Amino acid sequence: MQTKLHRWATADPGCRFDDVFNLVYDPAFLLAAWDRVRGNKGGRTAGVDGVVPRYVPAEDVTEMLAELRQQVKSGQFTPLPVRERRIPKANGKTRSLGIPTMTDRIIQASLKLVLEPIFEANFQPCSYGFRPRRRAQDAIAEIHYFTTGNRCYEWVFEGDIKACFDEIDHTALMARVRHRIVDKRVLALIRSFLKSGILSEDGLHRGTRTGTPQGGILSPLLANIALSVLDEHFTTKWEALGPEWTRAKHLRAGGAAMKLIRYADDFVVLVRGPREDAEALFGEVATVLAPMGLRLSEEKTHLTHIDDGFDFLGWRIQRRTWQGRGGTKRTVYTYPSKRSLASIKEKIRVLTRRNAHRTLADLLRRLNPAIRGWCTYFQHGVSKRTFSYVDHFAFWRIVGWLKKRHPKLNVHTVIRRYLPGWHIAADGIEFFRAPTVPVTRYRYRGTRIPNPWTSTPAA
């Protein structure tokens, strides 16, 4: 059914769906939604109802879904407020997450199953966040592609949207949803989730006049729908330049070409041309975002030259000059940023605290996935030396942990007794060595990234 929805939406860009509400409460959609709710990371957390999806007995699921289906079908379903939970950010501030109830999550997941194939037909290739089969590495690869070789996009407009998920204007968002969905029952259901409210940590109930709660299953899709105004604006500008030869002619005449790369609410605009055109983006982007109720953060929005480098999605991207056999060469490097390196070091520190684990095997069970996941994310950059540094840091943190566990032994005795041959293992679990992760360049896929509902990549 999703494949059909996507095919219809792609074949007719003006197609507006007026009878999709029955799919939201379809038993197959609800069952698929339940599997996603129970299986994702949030399956261990409860909303204001106190129900944890992961702990719902299997024998109760059929009855629960049947009752939920009847509520939605009859129009009696009403979302409850989300439970607020504040989590720390890297800059020392906190981010507010809204955790919906179990039943709300199921209906949101079912709604997403219906809406996502339709809106994917509209989304532009420059958007990578919270979209099927797209990842942060694709965004980094596109930046690398346009800043290297003869393309030479040198100016980088680093955009930061202030409280994006909290400030999206509901009226403007619903207007964009209506470009594709005119089923009044689906629109009313989406609006009810937007207006459900928040139960704060101190027990107060707050209404939600703007924004979509960060933490809801439907929120990333709604945010992409809202932020697609930015994608469409820069895509229109790019297409207006015509094919490559007319674009080159425009650049030789002193004009500028711009390329947007967006991952959720983080984005950069690469500019090839005069600095003045890049500086004009401060006002231009603000004007594009204003109708959606969004605004740029003045302190976090910058204009940078590629030679000075910038951080994006945990990566440091910078062009450097070096002397080769053929003379001076310039290469754009992508590698883990200092903040990303500090984050994995802090995680290793926390995991290797003195009383964090009872045995070395327990420590390795927690430590290995953290290091492996971090290295897997950064394996497509210039990361070999960084991996060696992380490995060295983690190794000696484990040695320090063993030393604290056995205070009467000196370091040499600890290494001889517990790390024979400088090899760390316990109960068949070996310490994961970061340098063993192969470092390879990620292939830039451009517009050839397929989605789950197309048998061949998009042209």
Side-chain angles (χ1 to χ4, degrees):
M1 193 64 232
Q2 283 187 308
T3 303
K4 288 183 178 180
L5 291 171
H6 183 72
R7 185 170 66 242
W8 294 334
T10 304
D12 182 6
C15 177
R16 304 175 76 188
F17 295 79
D18 60 356
D19 189 19
V20 289
F21 183 68
N22 60 312
L23 294 177
V24 177
Y25 61 81
D26 182 273
F29 275 76
L30 287 177
L31 186 59
W34 163 248
D35 287 339
R36 295 191 180 187
V37 169
R38 188 182 187 279
N40 64 20
K41 293 181 179 179
R44 293 188 177 92
T45 58
V48 296
D49 59 349
V51 179
V52 180
R54 192 66 60 87
Y55 300 147
V56 174
E59 57 271 18
D60 296 345
V61 172
T62 302
E63 183 180 350
M64 180 265 294
L65 292 180
E67 182 179 348
L68 183 58
R69 178 176 185 270
Q70 186 57 39
Q71 289 180 6
V72 177
K73 185 177 180 181
S74 62
Q76 297 176 344
F77 175 80
T78 303
L80 293 175
V82 298
R83 180 171 69 89
E84 184 184 48
R85 183 179 178 185
R86 294 203 165 268
I87 59 173
K89 296 171 64 175
N91 58 7
K93 298 181 181 180
T94 60
R95 175 186 288 112
S96 177
L97 291 183
I99 305 174
T101 63
M102 181 187 69
T103 53
D104 289 356
R105 273 181 264 183
I106 294 172
I107 300 304
Q108 285 193 31
S110 185
L111 261 174
K112 184 181 178 183
L113 289 171
V114 175
L115 299 177
E116 190 172 49
I118 297 172
F119 283 96
E120 271 293 320
N122 289 74
F123 290 155
Q124 302 298 325
C126 61
S127 167
Y128 295 98
F130 302 113
R131 294 182 59 187
R133 297 186 182 174
R134 289 170 171 260
R135 52 185 75 96
Q137 284 81 357
D138 287 308
I140 301 302
E142 182 163 9
I143 293 173
H144 186 269
Y145 175 80
F146 278 97
T147 53
T148 56
N150 296 328
R151 289 167 290 274
C152 201
Y153 284 70
E154 297 184 329
W155 293 106
V156 182
F157 178 84
E158 304 174 66
D160 184 275
I161 301 175
K162 194 167 187 177
C164 175
F165 281 84
D166 298 331
E167 296 190 359
I168 295 176
D169 184 84
H170 288 173
T171 303
L173 172 61
M174 292 305 299
R176 291 193 66 80
V177 173
R178 279 193 290 271
H179 287 169
R180 277 299 198 178
I181 306 294
V182 291
D183 190 324
K184 293 183 179 180
R185 295 165 297 177
V186 172
L187 295 174
L189 192 57
I190 296 173
R191 195 178 294 107
S192 67
F193 280 117
L194 293 174
K195 301 291 186 181
S196 61
I198 299 173
L199 185 65
S200 64
E201 291 182 329
D202 52 7
L204 298 177
H205 181 271
R206 302 198 310 269
T208 46
R209 296 182 179 180
T210 60
T212 175
Q214 191 170 358
I217 294 176
L218 194 60
S219 295
L221 176 60
L222 295 178
N224 268 335
I225 293 172
L227 291 171
S228 60
V229 296
L230 203 59
D231 309 340
E232 293 165 2
H233 173 78
F234 282 98
T235 298
T236 301
K237 291 186 65 172
W238 177 265
E239 292 176 348
L241 297 177
E244 187 175 348
W245 69 272
T246 59
R247 192 163 61 247
K249 183 179 179 181
H250 172 76
L251 291 168
R252 285 195 299 270
M258 302 179 183
K259 194 68 177 176
L260 170 74
I261 295 95
R262 183 176 67 82
Y263 190 93
D265 57 338
D266 294 324
F267 69 93
V268 296
V269 181
L270 305 179
V271 182
R272 181 178 178 181
R275 179 188 173 100
E276 293 75 20
D277 290 272
E279 290 176 339
L281 285 173
F282 285 92
E284 182 178 336
V285 172
T287 302
V288 173
L289 292 175
M292 297 305 304
L294 301 174
R295 53 204 171 104
L296 289 173
S297 172
E298 295 182 3
E299 61 272 16
K300 295 182 181 179
T301 300
H302 309 286
L303 181 62
T304 310
H305 196 275
I306 190 64
D307 290 344
D308 297 325
F310 65 100
D311 292 350
F312 187 60
L313 302 180
W315 296 81
R316 181 69 179 174
I317 306 170
Q318 186 173 8
R319 188 173 66 185
R320 295 180 178 178
T321 302
W322 55 283
Q323 291 294 326
R325 290 184 178 180
T328 302
K329 297 183 178 180
R330 297 188 298 177
T331 305
V332 174
Y333 291 88
T334 57
Y335 52 94
S337 68
K338 289 183 179 179
R339 179 176 292 181
S340 298
L341 181 59
S343 70
I344 188 62
K345 287 177 64 178
E346 180 60 25
K347 185 172 290 186
I348 293 171
R349 283 194 189 96
V350 171
L351 291 174
T352 53
R353 286 176 180 168
R354 178 173 184 176
N355 297 319
H357 309 280
R358 292 187 300 170
T359 65
L360 178 58
D362 292 336
L363 171 60
L364 295 179
R365 287 191 189 97
R366 295 288 304 280
L367 188 61
N368 283 350
I371 298 176
R372 184 184 291 110
W374 190 86
C375 291
T376 300
Y377 181 80
F378 289 107
Q379 73 176 120
H380 300 297
V382 186
S383 308
K384 202 67 177 178
R385 292 179 63 181
T386 308
F387 288 173
S388 296
Y389 175 81
V390 170
D391 179 75
H392 180 271
F393 179 81
F395 182 93
W396 286 105
R397 286 293 301 185
I398 294 174
V399 172
W401 181 84
L402 287 169
K403 181 69 176 66
K404 291 173 184 175
R405 296 281 292 181
H406 307 281
K408 295 182 179 181
L409 303 180
N410 59 39
V411 174
H412 298 289
T413 305
V414 167
I415 294 174
R416 186 178 67 253
R417 185 176 298 181
Y418 297 100
L419 287 73
W422 298 87
H423 180 72
I424 303 178
D427 296 344
I429 303 174
E430 296 187 6
F431 169 52
F432 178 78
R433 309 309 298 259
T436 62
V437 177
V439 172
T440 57
R441 171 61 63 188
Y442 189 83
R443 181 174 60 89
Y444 171 55
R445 300 191 286 171
T447 59
R448 302 180 303 278
I449 304 177
N451 60 48
W453 312 290
T454 54
S455 56
T456 57

